[in-house]
Amino acid sequence: MTALAGAGSATASVGRLQDRFELGLDAPICLTWELTYACNLACVHCLSSSGRRDPRELTTEQCRAVIDELEAMQVFYVNIGGGEPTVRRDFWDLVDYATAHHVGVKFSTNGSRLTPERAGLLAASDYVDVQISLDGATAAVNDAVRGRGSYATALSAMALLAEAGMTGFKISVVVTRENVDQLDAFKAIADRFSATLRLTRLRPSGRGVDVWDRLHVTAEQQRQLYAWLVAHGEDVLTGDSFFHLAGLGDALPGLNLCGAGRVVCLIDPVGDVYACPFAIHDAFRAGNVLGEGGFAEVWRGSPLFASLRVRTDGGACSACGHFDACRGGCMAAKFFTGLPLDGPDPECVVGHGERALAARGSVALPMPSVDHSRRRRPAGLGTTGTPVQAPDRACATSPLAGLAAVPDR
């Protein structure tokens, strides 16, 4: 079990545990690990700007060494993503290695490489969870974001898992202004396959920077979303994505605190460690797992993480009566929209973010430090919702284009 930094009584209240979480843990409760930037899709809001594989990505042996460290640190589980993680030929071997070493695995996939045989093996495992990505309850809405045919592929993967007897797998939805009216339909799809719906927030990270202005939910839709989550909170997961909505009323279930560098972090395909999966930028890079001391040294000794593990006085939000509930919102959302980290969330439900954005003026916005997209920025959406910019050379058809000489990892 991950130890609390300076842990005291095991009977501490939830509020006290939140205080402890704010000061950081000896090891992350869970971490996100993007195994590869290679992907056979080109989702317009991809937080890691995935598409092409990075030839420097960690080898199989290096990945196993990281898993050994996570076992020693007693990390509960890892969220494996990408890119499309199943593109790696050693993906299933790494999943087996992790579970054999007491590290649970939840992996996100578009479902394109799932087979009946593999679905059966997943259904038989108590240590692996699957998350199928879906961003529209209809093909028209989903495929405008994730690519033509991706809706049918995702539903086929869900059917394979259900037919194999796997229940409770996750359907992961990034909430946008185009799909927020489909929440009931998403829930119906989850119920149809005996799955669990998981909603996450659209953040201006990766390629999401390009589409955030047109796809993030409006103020009225935020109220709609909050009401829906209150009504369905026991049956829907959010991964603490929406703690900024707490200003609308009671806090939603979960930690309701930015866990960046405190209880969560990201390892990217080349081993760089970032404070947050949604903040892939040099400003939030804490080190690399290949450095001296490995991941444990980054987590426990990074000056960046130490700076995040202090209580904040609220900064510009300190005078707001809702600060104790929303904690100032999402660090990544503020950073990539050019707002100060001690200021309001750009989607602040009482309007402080909107005013801060207006007062920001025309400033150069931070851009993600890595971009493996198969399209040149910006991707853009046409009037039909389909990408309008021509793909970049041969990478349009293969996530491994130009990297054929790189040995499989």
Side-chain angles (χ1 to χ4, degrees):
M1 180 177 184
T2 298
L4 293 172
S9 169
T11 60
S13 68
V14 171
R16 181 59 178 161
L17 283 176
Q18 287 177 325
D19 290 341
R20 299 282 182 89
F21 288 156
E22 191 168 14
L23 297 177
L25 304 184
D26 290 339
I29 292 177
C30 67
L31 61 86
T32 297
W33 189 356
E34 295 180 347
L35 285 179
T36 184
Y37 286 122
C39 190
N40 53 343
L41 296 184
C43 303
V44 299
H45 59 6
C46 178
L47 65 91
S48 58
S49 301
S50 289
R52 298 188 65 181
R53 177 181 179 181
D54 192 312
R56 304 169 298 157
E57 69 184 33
L58 299 179
T59 66
T60 301
E61 289 307 312
Q62 288 169 336
C63 289
R64 287 176 176 169
V66 172
I67 293 169
D68 291 341
E69 274 201 90
L70 300 182
E71 179 186 21
M73 295 173 71
Q74 297 182 306
V75 171
F76 289 127
Y77 66 93
V78 292
N79 290 312
I80 293 181
E84 172 53 43
T86 61
V87 165
R88 278 188 66 131
R89 292 190 180 183
D90 61 359
F91 171 72
W92 299 108
D93 291 336
L94 290 174
V95 169
D96 290 342
Y97 188 85
T99 57
H101 288 75
H102 313 105
V103 178
V105 172
K106 177 190 293 181
F107 72 91
S108 299
T109 177
N110 56 43
S112 61
R113 300 170 72 88
L114 193 63
T115 64
E117 177 185 14
R118 183 55 62 184
L121 292 173
L122 290 170
S125 174
D126 293 328
Y127 300 99
V128 182
D129 194 12
V130 187
Q131 191 163 274
I132 306 294
S133 298
L134 187 74
D135 290 326
T138 60
V141 174
N142 178 85
D143 291 6
V145 172
R146 302 189 61 82
R148 186 175 303 166
S150 57
Y151 178 83
T153 297
L155 262 65
S156 294
M158 295 175 204
L160 286 177
L161 293 172
E163 290 164 5
M166 188 173 193
T167 59
F169 65 87
K170 310 304 185 291
I171 299 175
S172 180
V173 176
V174 177
V175 180
T176 69
R177 70 179 61 175
E178 300 298 326
N179 66 21
V180 70
D181 291 329
Q182 298 183 322
L183 296 177
D184 287 335
F186 282 123
K187 186 63 169 61
I189 292 173
D191 292 344
R192 169 184 163 193
F193 291 108
S194 299
T196 299
L197 181 61
R198 183 176 188 269
L199 302 181
T200 61
R201 180 183 178 185
L202 175 70
R203 292 175 173 87
S205 308
R207 285 196 294 270
V209 169
D210 300 326
V211 298
W212 190 80
D213 283 341
R214 72 186 75 178
L215 287 184
H216 79 93
V217 294
T218 65
E220 178 58 35
Q221 288 174 332
Q222 289 205 91
R223 290 188 285 272
Q224 173 188 344
L225 172 61
Y226 175 77
W228 194 92
L229 288 172
V230 169
H232 297 83
E234 296 300 319
D235 301 316
V236 176
L237 303 176
T238 64
D240 273 320
S241 284
F242 302 107
F243 62 91
H244 70 294
L245 298 180
L248 292 172
D250 293 336
L252 297 169
L255 178 59
N256 287 298
L257 173 75
C258 174
R262 293 164 166 161
V263 297
V264 300
C265 67
L266 167 78
I267 300 176
D268 83 349
V270 302
D272 284 336
V273 181
Y274 295 89
C276 170
F278 309 106
I280 303 177
H281 188 279
D282 286 343
F284 301 104
R285 180 182 177 276
N288 189 284
V289 299
L290 300 181
E292 185 176 354
F295 172 73
E297 175 58 29
V298 177
W299 179 260
R300 294 168 179 165
S302 161
L304 170 65
F305 285 177
S307 71
L308 294 172
R309 295 168 186 167
V310 295
R311 289 192 177 93
T312 174
D313 61 5
C317 293
S318 59
C320 178
H322 299 290
F323 174 74
D324 286 341
C326 78
R327 309 301 294 175
C330 174
M331 176 182 75
K334 288 186 271 193
F335 180 77
F336 285 115
T337 53
L339 298 182
L341 297 186
D342 63 351
D345 189 291
E347 292 184 302
C348 168
V349 296
V350 293
H352 297 316
E354 184 177 355
R355 290 187 285 274
L357 289 173
R360 170 193 64 183
S362 77
V363 298
L365 299 181
M367 299 301 289
S369 296
V370 296
D371 192 343
H372 291 76
S373 302
R374 303 199 306 274
R375 293 187 180 89
R376 297 189 185 279
R377 305 180 70 92
L381 294 177
T383 55
T384 62
T386 54
V388 297
Q389 187 156 345
D392 185 11
R393 301 187 301 279
C395 296
T397 57
S398 171
L400 308 181
L403 299 175
V406 177
D408 290 317
R409 304 295 180 105

